[in-house]
Amino acid sequence: MSTRTATDERAVVIGLEVHVQLETDTKIFCGCSTEPAEDEEPNTRTCPVCLGLPGALPVLNEGAVEAAVKIGKALEADIPERTDFHRKNYYYPDLPKNFQITQYDAPICADGELEVAVEDSRRTIGITRAHLEEDPGSLQHAGGSIDTADHTLVDYNRAGTPLVEIVTEPDFRSPAETRAFLAKLEEVLEYLGVFDATRDGSLRVDANISLVPGESVAGDGSIDDDALAAANRTEVKNISSHKGAEKALAYEVTRQRNALRRGRAVEQETRHWDESRGITVSMRSKEAEKDYRYFREADLPPLEVSDWRESIPIPELPDARRERFRAEYGLGAEAADKLTSRKAVADFYEDVADRFDPDLAATWVADNLLGELNYRDMAITDVDDRLEEFARLIELVDADDLTTKNAEEVVLRGMLDDGDDPDTIVEREGLGTADTGEVEAAVADAIDENPEAVDDYHDGDDGAINFLVGQVMQRTGGSADPGEVNALLRERLAE
Ligand code: ADP
Ligand code: ZN
Ligand code: MG
């Protein structure tokens, strides 16, 4: 048997370590703000604690613990009664204390899972653990990249920002699955209100990847632990988006396959994802856990969350809400998906579906509003202070005070492009629906003034009716209902 066949049968194994920036007002161990100001000066949101000055003592932020507990509950993880903090020791210029406060053998969440839809199948990804830690500062390499810069500046504004690091089991079998997982994870985090996806660097991913012999994959897709441990894996750092994860891992699959095919071993190492070049580059051989000399953080007492964790509620999550929307409002799968993937969209839909017709509300929110927003590269969060105005627009359509066509093409677009409210646009453009008398008169005029079209219609050319409908629509300034005009024309022409 040739080596080529053997290596071609290798299966892809991926596990992720996802760093999530928590939306708290202040940093995890001090009172410094986490809110970056626009055009902010470096090193302005700092204090003795986050600068690691001698004698400064950390005080744990309650809000960060609550956020971590919510994440644990959403991931169906175990939240032990007692958890504690450790120091992870290493030197790097963005880490002024020379150690990072993190969690080690007693993380706040362990043994959870997240279900993900990948194409037509559903996969359950195991969550090994999720722990709290502080973010280091950030480095700015003058001249662009770490390997070409002639000097580097350091900014400690980010130092001490609360993070939860979520570590998955090596349960992914393709790069596409990691992308679906990250999108789902973001949905859940956003529902929990602990995370802001629009913030730069709020989600950072390290991806571990190896190729294992096909024979070590069992019929149910599981892979035995010995094969996982034996496989040389690379850890790809610097991934900051769902798409980035998929691309970096696809690159890595090809690179590792090619190495094995040529009879070379895959080095166990840390690699850097170069987004602009679309390649991974070797950074260093992979460090081992023992290198970090973890020991207990004696400045922070162990944290008891036993009674507290019960009193921290979490909202209905996207999957449950999707199912409820289908049952309660009779929505199809696609509409329910679109309407629940962002919490703000789901809340808005629910508000208008309870006030008007649920189907009309679904068309307006899922298709029209989201479609027009998407076209303008905008999100629901860009207009969340104007939702009452959109509800008013749906109300006008629901009450037949505005035609669907005018509502879509004139009012909705005007609202987004010029920022006006619907009543102002309707008034200014004279878009109120025509009353019956007005439509009757326009129908009579259209018939009188277009004898040829009338003859064609009577000769059996059904297309002529569309021409006449157009004539009526023109005369009413688009404010008549085309279906009604069509019926009325046929009635009159039959007389
Ligand atoms: P380390 O101590 O080297 O960081 P961990 O056991 O903490 O290793 O695992 C880190 C990540 O590596 C986890 O996300 C895990 O799922 C993943 N992982 C473990 N084994 C493999 C493997 N054979 N291939 C790909 N990823 C793996
Ligand atoms: Zn501080
Ligand atoms: Mg690790």
Side-chain angles (χ1 to χ4, degrees):
M1 196 173 72
S2 75
T3 47
R4 189 176 174 95
T5 325
T7 56
D8 281 348
E9 279 167 7
R10 284 181 175 256
V12 175
V13 178
I14 299 167
L16 300 181
E17 295 164 277
V18 186
H19 296 85
V20 174
Q21 187 174 318
L22 301 176
E23 277 299 293
T24 53
D25 295 335
T26 53
K27 293 183 179 179
I28 186 166
F29 300 122
C30 63
C32 291
S33 169
T34 52
E35 194 58 55
E38 228 168 284
D39 303 318
E40 140 180 298
E41 288 280 305
N43 299 306
T44 47
R45 287 185 284 117
T46 57
C47 74
V49 174
C50 55
L51 288 176
L53 300 188
L57 293 173
V59 177
L60 181 59
N61 180 344
E62 186 176 325
V65 178
E66 280 184 358
V69 169
K70 286 183 186 173
I71 292 172
K73 286 186 169 183
L75 297 176
E76 292 169 44
D78 299 332
I79 300 167
E81 288 187 6
R82 193 183 158 116
T83 124
D84 57 30
F85 290 88
H86 274 70
R87 293 183 177 185
K88 180 181 184 179
N89 297 283
Y90 64 99
Y91 167 75
Y92 207 61
D94 61 8
L95 192 69
K97 297 193 295 294
N98 278 352
F99 60 84
Q100 178 193 31
I101 304 180
T102 179
Q103 297 194 289
Y104 182 50
D105 50 3
I108 190 156
C109 310
D111 201 11
E113 60 181 48
L114 185 66
E115 206 182 82
V116 182
V118 191
E119 278 153 18
D120 288 331
S121 66
R122 292 193 81 80
R123 299 263 289 112
T124 301
I125 304 299
I127 306 293
T128 317
R129 56 185 281 149
H131 64 255
L132 275 165
E133 64 186 26
E134 59 180 335
D135 211 355
S138 47
L139 300 179
Q140 291 165 23
H141 304 293
S145 85
I146 188 165
D147 44 349
T148 56
D150 97 323
H151 64 274
T152 293
L153 299 166
V154 57
D155 176 7
Y156 293 112
N157 282 350
R158 200 183 68 183
T161 300
L163 302 179
V164 159
E165 178 179 343
I166 298 169
V167 181
T168 78
E169 291 290 299
D171 283 347
F172 301 97
R173 295 291 172 268
S174 72
E177 288 183 7
T178 66
R179 181 171 177 178
F181 171 87
L182 292 169
K184 177 67 178 290
L185 180 65
E186 267 200 15
E187 266 180 31
V188 170
L189 294 169
E190 199 228 6
Y191 264 66
L192 294 173
V194 301
F195 172 75
D196 180 0
T198 62
R199 248 196 215 198
D200 251 8
S202 56
L203 193 90
R204 303 196 293 272
V205 181
D206 299 341
N208 299 271
I209 175 165
S210 66
L211 299 183
V212 300
E215 336 47 287
S216 46
V217 184
D220 65 356
S222 64
I223 297 176
D224 76 85
D225 289 345
D226 293 342
L228 290 176
N232 269 2
R233 64 181 200 252
T234 56
E235 179 171 359
V236 184
K237 297 205 176 265
N238 190 44
I239 298 170
S240 59
S241 69
H242 315 167
K243 221 158 111 193
E246 188 178 19
K247 283 205 249 167
L249 287 165
Y251 178 87
E252 209 38 33
V253 169
T254 308
R255 193 188 64 82
Q256 293 192 14
R257 276 229 161 95
N258 286 342
L260 293 167
R261 208 168 268 165
R262 295 194 186 110
R264 287 208 299 263
V266 170
E267 296 290 332
Q268 181 112 341
E269 63 181 355
T270 301
R271 298 180 70 88
H272 177 90
W273 168 237
D274 186 330
E275 176 91 52
S276 56
R277 288 195 287 168
I279 60 172
T280 67
V281 286
S282 178
M283 277 168 76
R284 55 175 187 259
S285 62
K286 194 173 162 25
E287 66 289 339
E289 192 175 282
K290 64 176 171 26
D291 299 337
Y292 288 118
R293 295 292 183 268
Y294 280 93
F295 59 83
R296 270 285 326 276
E297 169 53 274
D299 289 339
L300 287 166
L303 173 66
E304 303 273 353
V305 286
S306 38
D307 301 326
W308 191 12
R309 65 190 167 183
E310 309 309 332
S311 66
I312 300 172
I314 60 166
E316 184 184 32
L317 295 173
D319 280 349
R321 202 163 195 189
R322 194 166 294 143
E323 288 318 303
R324 183 169 62 77
F325 273 21
R326 297 197 60 181
E328 202 171 314
Y329 301 113
L331 299 179
E334 198 187 330
D337 251 18
K338 272 198 200 169
L339 291 169
T340 52
S341 67
R342 301 289 308 265
K343 182 165 185 294
V345 172
D347 288 346
F348 178 54
Y349 171 71
E350 195 140 32
D351 177 41
V352 287
D354 290 341
R355 284 150 68 186
F356 315 111
D357 175 53
D359 278 334
L360 180 77
T363 307
W364 270 87
V365 181
D367 299 338
N368 302 346
L369 179 58
L370 293 184
E372 294 291 335
L373 285 173
N374 194 28
Y375 177 73
R376 289 166 180 74
D377 230 348
M378 290 166 75
I380 189 86
T381 39
D382 295 319
V383 292
D384 55 6
D385 54 341
R386 299 183 63 203
L387 293 178
E388 250 334 289
E389 291 178 28
F390 294 107
R392 170 68 183 150
L393 174 60
I394 300 169
E395 182 181 38
L396 289 170
V397 179
D398 187 55
D400 284 328
D401 288 336
L402 186 62
T403 63
T404 303
K405 188 169 152 59
N406 279 335
E408 274 177 41
E409 292 175 10
V410 185
V411 184
L412 179 57
R413 290 177 191 171
M415 287 172 72
L416 292 171
D417 293 334
D418 311 323
D420 293 326
D421 70 83
D423 289 298
T424 306
I425 300 172
V426 168
E427 177 77 35
R428 187 181 60 218
E429 309 286 332
L431 298 178
T433 45
D435 60 39
T436 330
E438 206 180 318
V439 179
E440 299 259 5
V443 166
D445 286 353
I447 291 173
D448 283 350
E449 288 162 30
N450 297 285
E452 267 177 51
V454 172
D455 285 347
D456 289 349
Y457 175 77
H458 284 130
D459 290 343
D461 175 6
D462 210 53
I465 199 85
N466 295 331
F467 171 79
L468 291 168
V469 170
Q471 293 296 308
V472 177
M473 294 306 289
Q474 226 172 51
R475 285 174 170 72
T476 56
S479 61
D481 178 85
E484 274 168 30
V485 171
N486 189 308
L488 196 60
L489 276 166
R490 289 180 194 278
E491 231 172 80
R492 293 289 171 270
L493 290 169
E495 281 165 5

